[in-house]
Every structure is written in C-alpha cells, then in structure tokens.
Amino acid sequence: MENQYAVKVRNLNKSYNKHAVILNDLSFDIPAGKIVGLLGPNGCGKTTLLKILAGVIHDYDGKVAVNGYAPGPESKATTAFLPDTTYLEEYFRTIDAINYFDDFFSDFDKVKALDFAQRFNLRLNQKIKTMSKGMQEKVQLLLVMSRAAELYLLDEPLGGVDPAARRMILDIIMKNYAEKSTLIISTHLVNDLENCFDHVLMLGGGRVLVNTGIENIQKSGKSVEEVFREVIGDAW
C-alpha cells in the first residue's frame, strides 16, 4: 500500500547550542504526490529541516518518517536532495559527477543528465573548481532531476541564477520530476513559484505557521504571497 504521506514529523526539535533553537517542537504531515512550497524568512529552520529529511543531520529530538522510513539508507534510496551549497569535490568534472551518480543511484538516468548538461551549456570536461556558483548549481540540479525519486528536496533551486535563467530551470524542474513523486521546494521567490504549488508549509521562528493545501488559500481570496506576508509579519 502506498504511503498517504511523504513526510510525517512529530515533536521535532533541533538546537545547535542551548541558546540557538532552530526547530521548536514541529509536528506536521506532507501529503504524497504534491508540489510543496517550504516558505519562511532566513533563519527559520528551512534548510535544517530539509537536511534532517535528507538524512544529512541526525542529532535531533522527535520522530521523522520519510516515505515510511526514519531518515537513513532506506529513505535516502528514494530521496533526491539539492542543498543550498556546493557539495561536489572541486576536482570533479561535470562528467565525473554524472558518472558518480550513475554508479551510486539505481534510479539515475545518465542520458537525461547528459541532455541537461547540453541544455545548460555545461562543458563535460570542466572542473567544478573553475565554475561560477551558478554553473555549479546547474550541475547539482541536473544530477538531482535525473533521478526518478519518490521525494525531491530542493533548497533554493533558483537562488543563485539570474532572472533570465529562472524560467528555464523552473521548467526543467516541473517537467522532469518522477510521476507521482513529491517535491518540497524551499524558496524566497514566493511570487515566482506560487502558481506551481499544490501545498504550502510556512515556518517562522522555528515553528509551523501554515500547513495547508493551496485550495484552502485560494478559498480565502488571498495569494500565497499575501498569506506569507501576514503570518511572517505576525511571527517576527
């Protein structure tokens, strides 16, 4: 039986020291098969939450389930994570990164990755250390979107690219994620992306402020950005 929820979180707490509480008793569910906007101001815990879901951060309190598993080898096998910082070895070339993912993930489509590299005007033999930040982010994006994952975690996928490139990258994301999978997209570009969302999770001050389907926001007669400004204003 398929999981009704891609993510289930109960009483999640994360602190980096006694005085820096990042996530404060979070409890929420994310329905499977949705495109989810993860919204909130800087420092509200979006990146920390995504890293916990991706199995990168392990020292937290509470219960987390990703596709029915606690974050670990089973969940990582079906989760594709795009972090907000470059993680590839600087001596890697584009083709090395593609081959690495092809060896590591059974759901990776190398043909699709090579096509993305061409569309992004990336040279296969160029080393990561010689690339601009935007080029590095495009390499990481093509790696993630070439997987047929059940859950995609994208941390600011449009943050490091110029406005002219956003439409192309957003088009690639929307047209190439695996059918029936779940996308969680952390972003500050609410206005650019709100028409893509099926569901919205808003964080503020390390707490859940809004967790609802887009249809409920539409019934209120407000835009996602208007609701975002209202609740974030109250939280900060």
Side-chain angles (χ1 to χ4, degrees):
M1 181 178 178
E2 294 184 356
N3 292 319
Q4 182 180 2
Y5 296 101
V7 174
K8 293 180 72 69
V9 172
R10 294 292 180 272
N11 307 115
L12 175 61
N13 292 278
K14 171 61 183 172
S15 301
Y16 286 105
N17 58 56
K18 292 182 179 179
H19 305 290
V21 178
I22 305 301
L23 301 176
N24 185 12
D25 200 32
L26 265 63
S27 293
F28 63 89
D29 298 331
I30 296 295
K34 303 294 184 181
I35 300 174
V36 182
L38 176 58
L39 312 176
N42 287 334
C44 73
K46 300 190 303 295
T47 292
T48 297
L49 175 60
L50 290 181
K51 286 182 177 180
I52 289 172
L53 299 180
V56 177
I57 292 176
H58 304 281
D59 55 333
Y60 58 85
D61 295 320
K63 293 185 178 181
V64 177
V66 176
N67 294 324
Y69 297 99
E74 295 90 350
S75 67
K76 287 182 179 180
T78 59
T79 300
F81 177 43
L82 178 69
D84 63 341
T85 56
T86 300
Y87 62 88
L88 296 170
E89 297 288 351
E90 65 176 16
Y91 61 82
F92 266 25
R93 301 169 299 165
T94 302
I95 190 62
D96 297 327
I98 290 173
N99 287 334
Y100 177 79
F101 265 60
D102 190 41
D103 289 339
F104 200 81
F105 294 106
S106 61
D107 61 7
F108 187 77
D109 186 338
K110 185 175 180 179
V111 173
K112 181 182 284 190
L114 292 170
D115 177 62
F116 284 157
Q118 185 176 20
R119 292 169 67 179
F120 284 150
N121 294 316
L122 295 169
R123 289 185 285 125
L124 294 179
N125 289 318
Q126 184 173 0
K127 291 185 177 181
I128 298 296
K129 67 179 180 181
T130 68
M131 294 181 183
S132 67
K133 185 175 186 292
M135 292 171 67
Q136 292 175 0
E137 290 179 351
K138 288 178 180 178
V139 173
Q140 294 187 156
L141 179 64
L142 75 84
L143 295 174
V144 167
M145 298 315 300
S146 295
R147 290 188 57 195
E150 293 182 23
L151 174 65
Y152 297 83
L153 305 171
L154 310 181
D155 196 355
E156 295 289 348
L158 305 180
V161 297
D162 60 83
R166 286 177 187 167
R167 183 176 296 275
M168 177 184 67
I169 291 176
L170 184 59
D171 187 63
I172 284 175
I173 292 172
M174 291 297 105
K175 291 183 177 179
N176 289 279
Y177 69 92
E179 186 179 3
K180 297 183 180 180
S181 63
T182 306
L183 276 76
I184 301 180
I185 305 174
S186 171
T187 183
H188 290 95
L189 304 172
V190 182
N191 189 51
D192 288 1
L193 288 171
E194 69 172 276
N195 290 331
C196 301
F197 299 147
D198 302 314
H199 195 94
V200 174
L201 177 66
M202 297 185 189
L203 302 184
R207 300 179 291 109
V208 174
L209 303 179
V210 174
N211 180 33
T212 189
I214 199 72
E215 67 279 359
N216 293 323
I217 292 179
Q218 291 171 341
K219 287 177 183 177
S220 72
K222 300 176 181 177
S223 68
V224 172
E225 185 169 20
E226 287 172 334
V227 173
F228 175 77
R229 292 183 184 278
E230 287 180 4
V231 300
I232 297 304
D234 290 341
W236 293 80

